[in-house]
Amino acid sequence: MRRTFADILNGAGVDVFAEYHSLHMLVFQRYGFYSDMEECFEWMPFSGTAYNLRDFNERNQFDFEHAEYTEDLDDLLLFCEYVYNFAVRLNVLEDCGTRKASGIVRHINALADKIGYRFVHDGELWILVPRNDKIEAAAEVAPEGVGNDLFRYDYRGYKGDLDGKRKILASLASALEPPRAELSKAAKALTSDYFYLVNNLNIRHNNIDPADSGKYNDWVAQMPPGELEGWYDTVRDMSAAAFLLLEYLDKKDGIDETKQR
């Protein structure tokens, strides 16, 4: 059967090799976006002490210009983040803004959506995290700033980084402490389990130092890092569930009134 244009596009899937090559052409072709990155490098807040873009690339081992082809998804994600952070800033700079910057932003956003990722803030930088419907729903109803922490937790750079994940989880726990009593009334077991874990898995307290007899937990201190990270992932998911529960509780009076009617 002859396929239509729509059949071909909808069934194409994601070709990392092709996507990397297309972005590479947009950036490094003659008079491409890279020339704008070089010209306006001094305006980048993440430039550090590098004196130009070539110096910046050498210091950070960014050799995208000579790596035109790859089938590695992590390489594509890093390349997207590299270009995107330049593009979003050039897109709003009056002295350096270009039409190419806005086109690059649109292209990379479309690519991120295609491969199932989204951009979120990590400090002053934009990073790519995998889309997660449950986390997105929780982030929409979480307090301002907290939703971004829910997203950041899934950043590939945090995999194996227990300290980084611990800080995010501690921030989430702090946001859930004020409505703790309200949560407990609606879901006592969830609330009790959640705060037990954040207080005993070396998240909010130092549970691995024998000198702190009041907080020390021998089981946690001897736990393999991979196992502890698995528990941390569970705590993040429980945090998301708690924020969704709080949203339900905000609507509870309206639901009860509707039931009475």
Side-chain angles (χ1 to χ4, degrees):
M1 181 181 296
R2 189 181 298 275
R3 293 192 300 163
T4 67
F5 179 69
D7 291 335
I8 293 173
L9 291 185
N10 292 334
V14 176
D15 184 337
V16 172
F17 182 96
E19 298 296 352
Y20 191 101
H21 179 63
S22 295
L23 181 58
H24 191 278
M25 290 296 293
L26 285 173
V27 175
F28 293 108
Q29 65 183 327
R30 188 178 184 185
Y31 307 122
F33 182 62
Y34 190 75
S35 60
D36 294 338
M37 292 166 58
E38 287 184 307
E39 181 181 350
C40 300
F41 177 74
E42 63 180 297
W43 298 100
M44 297 300 107
F46 48 81
S47 61
T49 56
Y51 66 88
N52 62 17
L53 182 54
R54 183 170 297 278
D55 182 32
F56 176 78
N57 289 340
E58 290 177 352
R59 290 181 184 217
N60 295 286
Q61 298 181 331
F62 292 144
D63 191 25
F64 300 109
E65 184 176 4
H66 302 102
E68 185 175 355
Y69 306 105
T70 181
E71 295 181 350
D72 191 311
L73 178 59
D74 281 346
D75 289 341
L76 176 61
L77 295 174
L78 180 59
F79 187 29
C80 286
E81 291 169 338
Y82 170 80
V83 178
Y84 191 83
N85 276 284
F86 279 92
V88 292
R89 298 187 187 280
L90 290 181
N91 198 33
V92 297
L93 284 175
E94 294 183 1
D95 294 334
C96 267
T98 68
R99 293 179 62 183
K100 281 181 287 187
S102 60
I104 290 290
V105 169
R106 288 194 301 271
H107 178 89
I108 297 180
N109 276 327
L111 174 55
D113 188 60
K114 183 177 182 179
I115 62 179
Y117 279 72
R118 64 174 294 156
F119 278 100
V120 298
H121 271 116
D122 187 19
E124 64 178 15
L125 299 175
W126 289 95
I127 59 175
L128 279 166
V129 298
R131 287 191 174 276
N132 182 322
D133 291 341
K134 293 183 294 185
I135 299 304
E136 291 195 17
E140 287 182 3
V141 300
E144 184 177 357
V146 175
N148 199 65
D149 285 337
L150 287 169
F151 285 128
R152 284 195 309 120
Y153 186 89
D154 283 329
Y155 181 50
R156 64 193 185 283
Y158 285 121
K159 185 172 180 60
D161 180 4
L162 292 181
D163 285 338
K165 288 190 170 185
R166 182 181 299 118
K167 291 176 182 177
I168 294 175
L169 295 178
S171 175
L172 296 175
S174 294
L176 287 169
E177 185 66 48
R180 180 174 179 173
E182 185 180 3
L183 274 172
S184 186
K185 291 179 182 178
K188 185 176 181 179
L190 170 67
T191 306
S192 175
D193 289 346
Y194 173 76
F195 283 101
Y196 176 84
L197 293 176
V198 298
N199 288 329
N200 290 277
L201 286 178
N202 201 42
I203 294 174
R204 293 211 293 186
H205 306 293
N206 186 347
N207 302 120
I208 61 173
D209 184 0
D212 190 346
S213 58
K215 303 294 183 181
Y216 178 71
N217 187 317
D218 182 65
W219 178 65
V220 175
Q222 298 184 35
M223 187 180 296
E227 183 179 350
L228 183 58
E229 185 169 14
W231 280 108
Y232 280 8
D233 295 347
T234 296
V235 171
R236 193 286 302 267
D237 291 344
M238 293 174 71
S239 301
F243 287 118
L244 288 171
L245 179 58
L246 287 171
E247 172 69 5
Y248 157 72
L249 293 175
D250 284 342
K251 299 178 179 179
K252 185 69 168 64
D253 289 342
I255 294 173
D256 290 340
E257 183 179 349
T258 299
K259 289 166 65 175
Q260 290 177 359
R261 289 181 176 179

